[in-house]
Amino acid sequence: MDNFFEKVLQHPSYYRQFNCSNTLITVFNCPMEARLMKSRFADLWTQYNYLFYVVDGRKIWHTAQGAYDIGKGSCVFVRKGAFILEQILETGFCVVLFFIPDEFICDTLKTRSKPLSKYGKQYNPLMLLNTSETLASFFLSISSYFGEANEPDPSLLELKFKELILTIADNPHNTELLSYFCSLLHEPGSNALQRVMEENYCFNLKMEQYATLSNRSLSAFKRDFQELYNTTPGKWLLGKRLNHALHLLTHLNRTISEAAFESGFENPSHFSRTFRQHFGTTPASIKQPIPA
């Protein structure tokens, strides 16, 4: 899978970029972005959360929890992890985009004079924000930077990132995202690891990428995973992916190719061999109709 953050960094001629550190970037993304999409679907992941405001256009985000059709006027927060991006080829896509690491969110929230209230534990991979007048004014102020020849000072950009986080946190209507912010501040490390795995097992990520998403080195990731699940990451992932594929075949009427793709397997042939070794039967036999 391609790293979304790195993919954007590699194309400064397509995306005007303002950097304020090695991990924070502001991007204005216009219709020319469609040239970078070689196919309708792109498998992507990112180690950073990102937030964007859609100026124009439409795309569909496919996550393990469902699909999200995002269009003009939407303000969206997407948690770090993997996803499949579906390009609507007839239209361009114009957004103001921010990549925001967990650490930056936590450090900013800790500066609030009033601590963040406790919220529930329900939040999705992608969350629509309440577009208040204050937030709309913020994006208007950011957009003005892209029309200027000179780049703003990095310290000013960092202040704008902090303003964005604090503006969101100050709006009680953003309950789902505030729940996620609370989890970043108070969630035990084992819960965070479990959440990363349960939400991303059906994507074809490498072990190093799972480790990065859980804020661990590869060795610490494997050690903590063993303690949490009492098995290795490889065995756990294989079992979860095969059971997910079985569910797709038997309950959601997916084709073999679709089940393989949506379960994180490299190709249908590899999926079919592994499926037969695990279940003692082939995906094709699962798909055959039962005689009347």
Side-chain angles (χ1 to χ4, degrees):
M1 299 186 76
D2 290 329
N3 187 303
F4 182 37
F5 176 75
E6 293 177 357
K7 193 177 182 70
V8 170
L9 282 178
Q10 291 168 359
H11 295 279
S13 60
Y14 284 94
Y15 310 97
R16 188 169 183 194
Q17 305 172 0
F18 296 149
N19 297 275
C20 56
S21 78
N22 291 329
T23 57
L24 298 179
I25 181 171
T26 311
V27 180
F28 188 68
N29 176 357
C30 282
M32 66 179 69
E33 172 269 348
R35 304 174 197 170
L36 299 178
M37 293 286 288
K38 297 180 180 179
S39 63
R40 183 176 177 182
F41 295 95
D43 292 2
L44 300 168
W45 78 285
T46 174
Q47 69 272 44
Y48 303 126
N49 310 290
Y50 59 99
L51 184 149
F52 62 93
Y53 176 77
V54 183
V55 179
D56 197 17
R58 170 178 165 245
K59 282 190 180 182
I60 301 174
W61 269 253
H62 295 273
T63 74
Q65 278 70 45
Y68 301 84
D69 194 329
I70 305 299
K72 182 177 180 179
S74 299
C75 184
V76 183
F77 185 96
V78 185
R79 288 164 41 214
K80 65 180 183 179
F83 59 98
I84 298 171
L85 186 60
E86 181 178 354
Q87 167 81 11
I88 309 302
L89 298 176
E90 296 78 17
T91 64
F93 196 62
C94 218
V95 301
V96 181
L97 172 65
F98 301 81
F99 287 98
I100 312 174
D102 288 346
E103 296 80 6
F104 187 88
I105 294 173
C106 291
D107 290 343
T108 301
L109 292 174
K110 289 174 183 177
T111 66
R112 282 169 51 95
S113 57
K114 183 180 179 181
L116 196 65
S117 301
K118 291 287 183 70
Y119 285 84
K121 298 181 179 180
Q122 298 299 317
Y123 42 83
N124 289 305
L126 186 149
M127 293 166 268
L128 290 172
L129 301 186
N130 176 261
T131 50
S132 64
E133 184 176 342
T134 304
L135 190 60
S137 298
F138 170 84
F139 284 115
L140 182 62
S141 70
I142 281 290
S143 298
S144 64
Y145 290 149
F146 294 96
E148 299 177 359
N150 296 326
E151 294 193 4
D153 188 272
S155 61
L156 176 59
L157 287 175
E158 186 169 340
L159 286 175
K160 298 301 289 186
F161 273 96
K162 290 181 178 179
E163 179 187 348
L164 175 59
I165 298 300
L166 293 173
T167 298
I168 294 169
D170 204 41
N171 187 339
H173 295 293
N174 294 319
T175 53
E176 190 176 9
L177 183 51
L178 291 175
S179 297
Y180 177 58
F181 283 175
C182 281
S183 74
L184 293 179
L185 290 168
H186 307 295
E187 186 178 56
S190 58
N191 289 3
L193 173 58
Q194 184 175 14
R195 174 165 50 81
V196 165
M197 299 309 299
E198 294 290 345
E199 293 178 353
N200 294 281
Y201 70 84
C202 58
F203 296 101
N204 189 24
L205 292 167
K206 298 177 181 178
M207 291 300 170
E208 293 84 357
Q209 294 166 338
Y210 283 113
T212 298
L213 287 174
S214 62
N215 297 321
R216 289 165 167 82
S217 66
L218 181 58
S219 59
F221 166 73
K222 291 180 177 179
R223 182 193 65 236
D224 293 346
F225 189 98
Q226 181 73 41
E227 292 178 359
L228 180 63
Y229 289 102
N230 198 31
T231 187
T232 64
K235 290 181 180 179
W236 185 89
L237 282 168
L238 182 60
K240 289 286 287 187
R241 289 171 176 172
L242 286 170
N243 285 321
H244 181 61
L246 180 62
H247 173 76
L248 294 175
L249 292 169
T250 57
H251 292 87
L252 299 181
N253 199 34
R254 295 290 198 273
T255 66
I256 294 173
S257 294
E258 289 170 341
F261 177 71
E262 294 180 35
S263 302
F265 288 90
E266 294 181 3
N267 55 66
S269 297
H270 174 239
F271 165 63
S272 295
R273 290 195 304 271
T274 307
F275 190 96
R276 182 172 185 174
Q277 291 171 359
H278 187 82
F279 291 112
T281 188
T282 65
S285 66
I286 294 291
K287 292 295 295 179
Q288 288 176 355
I290 300 175

Coordinates of all heavy atoms in Angstrom, one line a residue, residues 177-247:
L177 N -15.5 13.3 17.4 CA -14.1 13.6 17.3 C -13.5 13.9 18.7 O -12.4 13.5 19.0 CB -13.8 14.7 16.4 CG -12.3 15.1 16.2 CD1 -11.5 13.9 15.8 CD2 -12.2 16.2 15.1
L178 N -14.3 14.5 19.5 CA -13.9 14.8 20.9 C -13.7 13.5 21.7 O -12.8 13.4 22.5 CB -14.9 15.7 21.6 CG -14.9 17.1 21.1 CD1 -16.1 17.9 21.8 CD2 -13.6 17.8 21.3
S179 N -14.5 12.4 21.3 CA -14.2 11.1 21.9 C -12.9 10.6 21.5 O -12.2 10.0 22.4 CB -15.4 10.2 21.5 OG -16.6 10.6 22.0
Y180 N -12.5 10.8 20.3 CA -11.2 10.3 19.8 C -10.1 11.1 20.5 O -9.1 10.5 20.9 CB -11.1 10.4 18.3 CG -9.8 10.0 17.8 CD1 -9.2 8.7 18.0 CD2 -9.0 10.9 17.0 CE1 -8.0 8.4 17.5 CE2 -7.8 10.5 16.5 CZ -7.3 9.3 16.7 OH -6.0 8.9 16.3
F181 N -10.3 12.4 20.6 CA -9.3 13.2 21.3 C -9.1 12.7 22.7 O -7.9 12.7 23.2 CB -9.7 14.7 21.3 CG -9.5 15.4 20.0 CD1 -9.9 16.7 19.8 CD2 -8.9 14.8 18.9 CE1 -9.8 17.3 18.6 CE2 -8.7 15.4 17.7 CZ -9.1 16.7 17.6
C182 N -10.2 12.4 23.4 CA -10.1 11.9 24.8 C -9.3 10.6 24.8 O -8.5 10.3 25.8 CB -11.5 11.7 25.4 SG -12.2 13.2 25.9
S183 N -9.5 9.7 23.8 CA -8.8 8.4 23.8 C -7.3 8.6 23.6 O -6.5 7.9 24.2 CB -9.3 7.5 22.7 OG -8.9 8.0 21.4
L184 N -6.9 9.6 22.8 CA -5.5 9.9 22.7 C -4.9 10.4 24.0 O -3.7 10.0 24.3 CB -5.3 11.0 21.6 CG -5.7 10.7 20.2 CD1 -5.4 11.9 19.3 CD2 -4.9 9.5 19.7
L185 N -5.6 11.1 24.8 CA -5.1 11.6 26.0 C -5.1 10.6 27.2 O -4.2 10.6 28.0 CB -5.9 12.8 26.5 CG -5.8 14.1 25.7 CD1 -6.9 15.1 26.1 CD2 -4.4 14.7 25.9
H186 N -6.0 9.6 27.1 CA -6.2 8.8 28.3 C -6.2 7.3 28.0 O -6.2 6.5 28.9 CB -7.6 9.1 29.0 CG -7.8 10.5 29.3 ND1 -7.0 11.2 30.2 CD2 -8.6 11.5 28.8 CE1 -7.3 12.5 30.3 NE2 -8.3 12.7 29.5
E187 N -6.2 6.9 26.7 CA -6.3 5.4 26.4 C -5.0 4.7 26.7 O -3.9 5.1 26.3 CB -6.6 5.3 24.9 CG -6.9 3.8 24.5 CD -7.2 3.8 23.0 OE1 -6.4 4.2 22.2 OE2 -8.3 3.3 22.7
P188 N -5.1 3.5 27.4 CA -3.9 2.7 27.7 C -3.2 2.2 26.3 O -3.9 2.1 25.3 CB -4.4 1.5 28.5 CG -5.7 2.0 29.1 CD -6.2 3.0 28.0
G189 N -1.9 2.0 26.4 CA -1.2 1.6 25.2 C -1.8 0.3 24.6 O -1.8 0.1 23.4
S190 N -2.2 -0.7 25.4 CA -2.7 -1.9 24.9 C -4.0 -1.8 24.2 O -4.2 -2.4 23.2 CB -2.9 -2.9 26.1 OG -3.8 -2.4 27.1
N191 N -4.8 -0.8 24.7 CA -6.1 -0.6 24.0 C -5.8 0.1 22.6 O -6.5 -0.2 21.6 CB -7.0 0.4 24.8 CG -7.5 -0.3 26.0 OD1 -7.2 -1.5 26.3 ND2 -8.4 0.4 26.8
A192 N -4.8 1.0 22.5 CA -4.5 1.6 21.3 C -4.0 0.6 20.3 O -4.4 0.6 19.1 CB -3.5 2.7 21.5
L193 N -3.2 -0.4 20.7 CA -2.7 -1.4 19.8 C -3.8 -2.3 19.3 O -3.9 -2.6 18.1 CB -1.7 -2.3 20.6 CG -1.2 -3.5 19.9 CD1 -0.5 -3.2 18.5 CD2 -0.2 -4.3 20.8
Q194 N -4.7 -2.7 20.2 CA -5.9 -3.5 19.8 C -6.8 -2.7 18.8 O -7.2 -3.3 17.8 CB -6.7 -3.9 21.0 CG -7.8 -4.8 20.7 CD -8.6 -5.3 22.0 OE1 -8.4 -4.7 23.1 NE2 -9.4 -6.3 21.9
R195 N -7.0 -1.5 19.0 CA -7.8 -0.7 18.1 C -7.1 -0.6 16.7 O -7.8 -0.8 15.7 CB -8.0 0.7 18.7 CG -8.7 1.7 17.8 CD -9.2 2.9 18.5 NE -8.2 3.5 19.3 CZ -7.3 4.3 18.8 NH1 -7.2 4.6 17.5 NH2 -6.4 4.9 19.6
V196 N -5.8 -0.4 16.7 CA -5.1 -0.3 15.4 C -5.3 -1.7 14.6 O -5.6 -1.7 13.4 CB -3.6 0.0 15.6 CG1 -2.8 -0.3 14.3 CG2 -3.4 1.4 16.0
M197 N -5.2 -2.8 15.3 CA -5.3 -4.1 14.6 C -6.7 -4.4 14.2 O -6.9 -4.9 13.1 CB -4.7 -5.2 15.6 CG -3.3 -5.0 16.0 SD -2.1 -4.7 14.6 CE -2.4 -6.3 13.6
E198 N -7.6 -4.2 15.1 CA -9.0 -4.5 14.7 C -9.6 -3.7 13.6 O -10.4 -4.1 12.8 CB -9.9 -4.3 16.0 CG -9.6 -5.3 17.1 CD -10.0 -6.7 16.8 OE1 -10.8 -6.9 15.8 OE2 -9.6 -7.6 17.5
E199 N -9.0 -2.5 13.4 CA -9.5 -1.6 12.4 C -8.8 -1.7 11.1 O -9.2 -1.1 10.1 CB -9.5 -0.1 12.9 CG -10.5 0.1 14.0 CD -10.4 1.5 14.6 OE1 -9.5 2.3 14.1 OE2 -11.2 1.9 15.4
N200 N -7.6 -2.3 11.1 CA -6.8 -2.3 9.9 C -6.3 -3.7 9.4 O -5.5 -3.8 8.5 CB -5.5 -1.5 10.1 CG -5.8 0.0 10.3 OD1 -6.1 0.7 9.3 ND2 -5.9 0.5 11.5
Y201 N -6.8 -4.8 10.0 CA -6.4 -6.1 9.7 C -6.7 -6.5 8.3 O -6.0 -7.3 7.6 CB -7.0 -7.2 10.7 CG -8.4 -7.4 10.5 CD1 -8.9 -8.3 9.5 CD2 -9.4 -6.8 11.3 CE1 -10.3 -8.5 9.4 CE2 -10.7 -7.0 11.1 CZ -11.2 -7.9 10.2 OH -12.5 -8.1 10.0
C202 N -7.8 -5.9 7.7 CA -8.2 -6.4 6.3 C -7.5 -5.6 5.2 O -7.8 -5.7 4.1 CB -9.7 -6.2 6.2 SG -10.3 -4.6 6.5
F203 N -6.4 -4.8 5.6 CA -5.6 -4.1 4.6 C -4.2 -4.8 4.6 O -3.7 -5.2 5.6 CB -5.5 -2.6 5.0 CG -6.8 -1.9 5.0 CD1 -7.5 -1.6 6.1 CD2 -7.4 -1.5 3.8 CE1 -8.7 -0.9 6.1 CE2 -8.6 -0.8 3.7 CZ -9.2 -0.5 4.9
N204 N -3.7 -4.7 3.4 CA -2.4 -5.4 3.1 C -1.2 -4.6 3.6 O -0.4 -4.1 2.8 CB -2.3 -5.8 1.6 CG -1.1 -6.7 1.4 OD1 -0.6 -7.4 2.2 ND2 -0.6 -6.7 0.1
L205 N -1.1 -4.3 4.9 CA 0.0 -3.6 5.5 C 1.1 -4.5 5.9 O 0.9 -5.6 6.2 CB -0.5 -2.8 6.7 CG -1.5 -1.6 6.4 CD1 -2.2 -1.2 7.7 CD2 -0.8 -0.5 5.7
K206 N 2.3 -3.9 5.9 CA 3.4 -4.7 6.4 C 3.5 -4.6 8.0 O 2.9 -3.7 8.6 CB 4.7 -4.1 5.8 CG 4.8 -4.2 4.3 CD 6.1 -3.6 3.7 CE 6.1 -3.7 2.2 NZ 7.3 -3.0 1.7
M207 N 4.3 -5.5 8.6 CA 4.4 -5.4 10.0 C 5.0 -4.1 10.5 O 4.6 -3.6 11.6 CB 5.3 -6.6 10.5 CG 4.7 -8.0 10.4 SD 3.1 -8.1 11.3 CE 2.5 -9.7 10.6
E208 N 5.9 -3.6 9.8 CA 6.5 -2.3 10.1 C 5.5 -1.2 10.1 O 5.6 -0.3 11.0 CB 7.7 -2.0 9.2 CG 8.9 -2.9 9.3 CD 8.7 -4.2 8.4 OE1 7.7 -4.4 7.8 OE2 9.7 -4.9 8.4
Q209 N 4.5 -1.3 9.2 CA 3.5 -0.3 9.2 C 2.5 -0.4 10.3 O 2.1 0.6 10.8 CB 2.8 -0.4 7.8 CG 3.8 0.0 6.6 CD 3.2 -0.4 5.3 OE1 2.4 -1.3 5.1 NE2 3.7 0.2 4.2
Y210 N 2.2 -1.6 10.7 CA 1.3 -1.8 11.9 C 2.0 -1.3 13.1 O 1.4 -0.6 14.0 CB 1.0 -3.3 12.1 CG -0.1 -3.8 11.2 CD1 0.2 -4.7 10.2 CD2 -1.4 -3.3 11.3 CE1 -0.8 -5.2 9.3 CE2 -2.4 -3.8 10.4 CZ -2.1 -4.8 9.5 OH -3.1 -5.2 8.6
A211 N 3.3 -1.5 13.2 CA 4.1 -1.0 14.3 C 4.1 0.5 14.4 O 3.9 1.1 15.4 CB 5.5 -1.5 14.2
T212 N 4.3 1.2 13.2 CA 4.2 2.6 13.1 C 2.9 3.2 13.6 O 2.8 4.2 14.3 CB 4.6 3.1 11.7 OG1 5.9 2.6 11.3 CG2 4.5 4.6 11.6
L213 N 1.8 2.5 13.1 CA 0.5 3.0 13.5 C 0.2 2.9 15.0 O -0.6 3.7 15.5 CB -0.6 2.2 12.7 CG -0.7 2.5 11.2 CD1 -1.7 1.5 10.6 CD2 -1.2 3.9 11.0
S214 N 0.9 1.9 15.6 CA 0.7 1.8 17.1 C 1.7 2.5 17.9 O 1.8 2.3 19.1 CB 0.7 0.3 17.4 OG 1.9 -0.3 17.1
N215 N 2.5 3.4 17.2 CA 3.6 4.2 17.9 C 4.6 3.3 18.6 O 5.0 3.6 19.7 CB 2.9 5.2 18.8 CG 2.0 6.2 18.2 OD1 2.3 6.6 17.1 ND2 0.9 6.5 18.8
R216 N 5.1 2.3 17.9 CA 6.0 1.4 18.5 C 7.1 1.0 17.5 O 6.9 1.1 16.3 CB 5.3 0.0 18.9 CG 4.4 0.2 20.2 CD 3.6 -1.1 20.3 NE 2.9 -1.2 21.6 CZ 1.7 -0.5 21.8 NH1 1.2 0.3 20.9 NH2 1.2 -0.7 23.0
S217 N 8.2 0.6 18.0 CA 9.2 0.0 17.1 C 8.7 -1.4 16.8 O 7.8 -1.9 17.4 CB 10.6 -0.2 17.9 OG 10.5 -1.1 19.0
L218 N 9.3 -2.0 15.7 CA 8.9 -3.3 15.3 C 9.0 -4.4 16.4 O 8.1 -5.2 16.6 CB 9.7 -3.8 14.1 CG 9.3 -5.1 13.5 CD1 7.8 -5.2 13.1 CD2 10.1 -5.4 12.3
S219 N 10.1 -4.3 17.1 CA 10.3 -5.3 18.2 C 9.4 -5.1 19.3 O 8.8 -6.1 19.9 CB 11.8 -5.2 18.7 OG 12.1 -3.9 19.2
A220 N 9.1 -3.9 19.7 CA 8.1 -3.6 20.8 C 6.7 -4.0 20.3 O 5.9 -4.5 21.1 CB 8.2 -2.1 21.2
F221 N 6.4 -3.8 19.1 CA 5.1 -4.1 18.5 C 4.9 -5.6 18.7 O 3.9 -6.1 19.2 CB 5.0 -3.7 17.1 CG 3.8 -4.3 16.3 CD1 2.5 -3.9 16.6 CD2 4.1 -5.3 15.4 CE1 1.5 -4.5 15.9 CE2 3.0 -5.8 14.7 CZ 1.7 -5.4 15.0
K222 N 5.9 -6.4 18.2 CA 5.7 -7.9 18.3 C 5.6 -8.4 19.7 O 4.8 -9.3 20.0 CB 6.9 -8.5 17.6 CG 6.9 -8.3 16.1 CD 8.1 -9.0 15.4 CE 8.1 -8.9 13.9 NZ 9.3 -9.5 13.3
R223 N 6.4 -7.8 20.6 CA 6.4 -8.2 22.0 C 5.0 -7.8 22.6 O 4.4 -8.7 23.3 CB 7.5 -7.4 22.8 CG 7.6 -7.8 24.3 CD 8.4 -6.9 25.0 NE 7.9 -5.5 25.1 CZ 8.5 -4.4 24.7 NH1 9.7 -4.5 24.2 NH2 7.9 -3.2 24.7
D224 N 4.5 -6.6 22.5 CA 3.3 -6.2 23.0 C 2.1 -7.0 22.4 O 1.1 -7.3 23.1 CB 3.1 -4.7 22.9 CG 4.1 -3.9 23.7 OD1 4.7 -4.5 24.5 OD2 4.2 -2.7 23.4
F225 N 2.2 -7.3 21.1 CA 1.2 -8.0 20.5 C 1.1 -9.4 21.1 O 0.0 -9.9 21.3 CB 1.4 -8.1 19.0 CG 0.3 -8.7 18.2 CD1 -0.6 -7.9 17.5 CD2 0.1 -10.1 18.1 CE1 -1.7 -8.4 16.8 CE2 -1.0 -10.6 17.4 CZ -1.9 -9.8 16.7
Q226 N 2.2 -10.1 21.3 CA 2.2 -11.4 21.9 C 1.6 -11.4 23.3 O 0.8 -12.3 23.6 CB 3.7 -11.9 22.0 CG 3.8 -13.3 22.5 CD 3.4 -14.4 21.6 OE1 3.7 -14.3 20.4 NE2 2.7 -15.4 22.1
E227 N 1.9 -10.4 24.0 CA 1.3 -10.3 25.4 C -0.2 -10.1 25.3 O -1.0 -10.6 26.2 CB 2.0 -9.2 26.1 CG 3.4 -9.4 26.5 CD 4.1 -8.2 27.2 OE1 3.3 -7.2 27.4 OE2 5.2 -8.3 27.6
L228 N -0.7 -9.3 24.3 CA -2.1 -9.0 24.2 C -2.9 -10.1 23.7 O -4.0 -10.5 24.2 CB -2.3 -7.7 23.4 CG -3.7 -7.2 23.2 CD1 -4.3 -6.8 24.5 CD2 -3.7 -6.1 22.2
Y229 N -2.4 -10.8 22.6 CA -3.2 -11.8 21.9 C -2.7 -13.2 22.1 O -3.4 -14.2 21.6 CB -3.2 -11.5 20.4 CG -4.0 -10.2 20.0 CD1 -3.4 -9.0 19.7 CD2 -5.4 -10.3 19.9 CE1 -4.1 -7.9 19.3 CE2 -6.1 -9.2 19.5 CZ -5.5 -8.0 19.2 OH -6.2 -6.9 18.9
N230 N -1.6 -13.4 22.8 CA -1.0 -14.7 23.0 C -0.8 -15.5 21.7 O -1.0 -16.7 21.6 CB -2.0 -15.5 23.9 CG -1.2 -16.7 24.5 OD1 0.0 -16.7 24.8 ND2 -2.0 -17.8 24.8
T231 N -0.4 -14.8 20.7 CA 0.0 -15.4 19.4 C 0.8 -14.4 18.6 O 1.0 -13.2 19.1 CB -1.3 -15.8 18.6 OG1 -0.8 -16.5 17.4 CG2 -2.1 -14.6 18.1
T232 N 1.3 -14.7 17.5 CA 2.1 -13.8 16.7 C 1.2 -13.0 15.8 O 0.1 -13.4 15.4 CB 3.1 -14.6 15.8 OG1 2.4 -15.4 14.8 CG2 4.0 -15.5 16.6
P233 N 1.7 -11.8 15.4 CA 0.9 -10.9 14.5 C 0.5 -11.6 13.2 O -0.6 -11.5 12.7 CB 1.8 -9.7 14.3 CG 2.7 -9.7 15.5 CD 2.9 -11.1 15.8
G234 N 1.5 -12.4 12.6 CA 1.3 -13.0 11.4 C 0.1 -14.0 11.4 O -0.8 -14.1 10.6
K235 N 0.1 -14.9 12.5 CA -0.9 -15.9 12.6 C -2.3 -15.2 12.9 O -3.3 -15.7 12.3 CB -0.6 -16.9 13.8 CG 0.6 -17.8 13.5 CD 0.9 -18.7 14.7 CE 2.0 -19.6 14.4 NZ 2.3 -20.5 15.6
W236 N -2.3 -14.2 13.7 CA -3.5 -13.5 14.0 C -4.1 -12.9 12.8 O -5.3 -13.0 12.5 CB -3.3 -12.5 15.1 CG -4.5 -11.8 15.6 CD1 -5.3 -12.2 16.6 CD2 -5.1 -10.5 15.1 NE1 -6.3 -11.2 16.8 CE2 -6.2 -10.2 15.9 CE3 -4.7 -9.7 14.1 CZ2 -7.0 -9.1 15.6 CZ3 -5.5 -8.5 13.8 CH2 -6.6 -8.3 14.6
L237 N -3.3 -12.2 12.0 CA -3.8 -11.5 10.8 C -4.3 -12.5 9.8 O -5.4 -12.2 9.2 CB -2.6 -10.7 10.2 CG -2.3 -9.4 10.9 CD1 -0.9 -8.8 10.3 CD2 -3.4 -8.4 10.6
L238 N -3.6 -13.6 9.6 CA -4.1 -14.6 8.6 C -5.5 -15.1 9.0 O -6.4 -15.2 8.2 CB -3.1 -15.7 8.5 CG -3.4 -16.8 7.5 CD1 -3.5 -16.2 6.1 CD2 -2.4 -18.0 7.6
G239 N -5.7 -15.5 10.3 CA -6.9 -16.0 10.8 C -8.1 -14.9 10.6 O -9.2 -15.2 10.1
K240 N -7.8 -13.7 11.0 CA -8.8 -12.6 10.9 C -9.2 -12.4 9.4 O -10.3 -12.2 9.1 CB -8.3 -11.3 11.5 CG -8.1 -11.3 13.0 CD -9.5 -11.2 13.7 CE -10.1 -9.8 13.6 NZ -11.3 -9.7 14.4
R241 N -8.2 -12.4 8.5 CA -8.4 -12.1 7.1 C -9.2 -13.2 6.5 O -10.1 -13.0 5.7 CB -7.1 -11.8 6.4 CG -6.4 -10.5 6.7 CD -5.0 -10.4 6.2 NE -4.5 -9.1 6.5 CZ -3.2 -8.8 6.2 NH1 -2.4 -9.7 5.7 NH2 -2.8 -7.5 6.5
L242 N -8.9 -14.5 6.8 CA -9.6 -15.6 6.2 C -11.0 -15.6 6.7 O -12.0 -15.9 5.9 CB -8.9 -16.9 6.5 CG -7.6 -17.1 5.8 CD1 -6.8 -18.3 6.3 CD2 -7.9 -17.3 4.3
N243 N -11.3 -15.4 8.0 CA -12.6 -15.4 8.5 C -13.4 -14.2 7.9 O -14.6 -14.4 7.6 CB -12.6 -15.3 10.0 CG -12.2 -16.6 10.7 OD1 -12.6 -17.7 10.2 ND2 -11.4 -16.6 11.7
H244 N -12.8 -13.1 7.7 CA -13.5 -12.0 7.1 C -13.8 -12.3 5.6 O -14.9 -12.0 5.2 CB -12.5 -10.8 7.1 CG -13.1 -9.5 6.5 ND1 -14.3 -8.9 7.0 CD2 -12.8 -8.7 5.4 CE1 -14.6 -7.9 6.3 NE2 -13.7 -7.7 5.3
A245 N -12.9 -13.0 4.9 CA -13.2 -13.4 3.5 C -14.3 -14.4 3.5 O -15.2 -14.3 2.6 CB -11.9 -14.0 2.9
L246 N -14.4 -15.3 4.4 CA -15.4 -16.3 4.5 C -16.8 -15.6 4.6 O -17.8 -15.9 4.0 CB -15.2 -17.3 5.6 CG -16.2 -18.4 5.8 CD1 -16.3 -19.3 4.5 CD2 -15.9 -19.2 7.0
H247 N -16.8 -14.6 5.5 CA -18.0 -13.8 5.7 C -18.5 -13.1 4.5 O -19.7 -13.1 4.1 CB -17.8 -12.8 6.9 CG -18.9 -11.9 7.1 ND1 -20.1 -12.3 7.7 CD2 -19.1 -10.6 6.7 CE1 -21.0 -11.2 7.7 NE2 -20.4 -10.2 7.2

